[in-house]
Structures are given as structure tokens and as C-alpha cells.
Amino acid sequence: MRVFQIQKGEILIINGDKQYSDTVENFKLDSELTLKDLNEVIYDNHQECCVINKEFKEYPNANFDNYIDNVDTYIKAKEKREYVPPEEPTEEEKLLNKINEIMVANDEQIADIKDAMLVAVLADDTELQAELKQEYASVIENTNNKLKEVNVND
């Protein structure tokens, strides 16, 4: 289906599965066209009709076919015009992200130590248990130091 339509200040362009819909004023921005004296248009290849300001005109119309053919250009221009960049995270959000990264790494290390400790206990390997206790204490100390650094630096 190929459609170019202006009604009640709104424009609709359909070219197959692509569709552009917006106000006439925004279309003028997106297309850089003036569309002088076009208040109402119904241009439709299915019905093979061309109605401009309530008057039937000859079908096909090269201008409207050209507008329909360029729907991708208008869609891209609309996306660019409407794009709102994501907000920069606040300092508090940045701090929380750093803390979360540290805690995730800590949790992974602690989980590995717990798994190893379970094996050491089941194997009654007291030497490995002592090493794992030391490693656990070291991980906790390192995590606390990293958290202090984040709080001091920010």
C-alpha cells in the first residue's frame, strides 16, 4: 500500500511496511518541504485516487509518489529530531555503581571460598581450612579497603 495523506494538520505516509506519521509542521522540518496550499490530501494507490483540498486530481501524481518513495528519509529525520540522549548518571549513581561492582566481585570470591571450604571440611583437610580462613579474611579486608577508597575519592 502506498499512501500520502494530510488531514486535520496531520500527515500520514505509508510505503509498504514503512510508515511516517506526524504533524504537518514537523513533516516540513523533517522533509525540508514547504507544502504550500496543501491543507488536505488523500493520495492512495489502492483506490488510485488523488484528492487535493477536496478536488479530484489526475492520478498518479509524481510529487506524491516521490514523497512516498522518500519515507525512509522522513522517518530518519523524525528519529533524529525526537532523539533524547540518555541522562548522565548522577554522582550518587556513579558511586553506587562502583560500590555494586566491588560487592559483586566480593560475593563471587566469597562464594568460591565457601565452596572450597565445604570440600576442605568434608575431606577433613585442616591445613586447607586454615588457608581458606586466611583468604576469606584477606578478601574482606581488600573489599573494605576498596569501599573506603571509593568513599574517600568521591
Side-chain angles (χ1 to χ4, degrees), residues 66-128:
N66 186 42
Y67 299 156
I68 294 168
D69 290 340
N70 287 310
V71 72
D72 287 333
T73 302
Y74 313 139
I75 291 169
K76 287 177 186 170
K78 180 180 179 179
E79 288 171 352
K80 185 176 179 181
R81 178 175 44 83
E82 292 179 342
Y83 176 73
V84 178
E87 290 184 25
E88 274 292 314
T90 64
E91 291 303 315
E92 183 178 333
E93 290 170 330
K94 289 178 184 177
L95 178 63
L96 287 173
N97 285 337
K98 287 180 185 176
I99 291 170
N100 284 336
E101 287 175 16
I102 292 168
M103 293 310 297
V104 165
N106 176 74
D107 292 347
E108 289 172 359
Q109 290 174 321
I110 296 297
D112 290 344
I113 293 170
K114 285 181 180 179
D115 290 343
M117 182 62 84
L118 181 61
V119 171
V121 168
L122 291 173
D124 201 24
D125 187 340
T126 55
E127 186 178 319
L128 181 56

Side-chain angles (χ1 to χ4, degrees), residues 2-127:
R2 292 173 55 86
V3 173
F4 182 90
Q5 178 177 299
I6 298 175
Q7 289 185 321
K8 298 179 182 178
E10 298 286 322
I11 192 159
L12 172 66
I13 303 173
I14 300 173
N15 187 359
D17 62 345
K18 298 173 186 167
Q19 180 174 315
Y20 174 94
S21 177
D22 210 324
T23 64
V24 172
E25 292 307 312
N26 282 338
F27 175 71
K28 289 177 182 179
L29 293 172
D30 295 340
S31 66
E32 299 179 359
L33 298 170
T34 57
L35 298 179
K36 289 184 179 180
D37 302 322
L38 292 179
N39 300 320
E40 184 177 43
V41 175
I42 300 172
Y43 185 77
D44 182 336
N45 77 322
H46 184 69
Q47 298 176 56
E48 295 185 354
C49 74
C50 179
V51 180
I52 301 173
N53 300 330
K54 301 191 190 277
E55 291 183 28
F56 280 90
K57 302 291 183 179
E58 187 176 321
Y59 178 89
N61 179 302
N63 286 334
F64 296 132
D65 280 328
N66 186 42
Y67 299 156
I68 294 168
D69 290 340
N70 287 310
V71 72
D72 287 333
T73 302
Y74 313 139
I75 291 169
K76 287 177 186 170
K78 180 180 179 179
E79 288 171 352
K80 185 176 179 181
R81 178 175 44 83
E82 292 179 342
Y83 176 73
V84 178
E87 290 184 25
E88 274 292 314
T90 64
E91 291 303 315
E92 183 178 333
E93 290 170 330
K94 289 178 184 177
L95 178 63
L96 287 173
N97 285 337
K98 287 180 185 176
I99 291 170
N100 284 336
E101 287 175 16
I102 292 168
M103 293 310 297
V104 165
N106 176 74
D107 292 347
E108 289 172 359
Q109 290 174 321
I110 296 297
D112 290 344
I113 293 170
K114 285 181 180 179
D115 290 343
M117 182 62 84
L118 181 61
V119 171
V121 168
L122 291 173
D124 201 24
D125 187 340
T126 55
E127 186 178 319

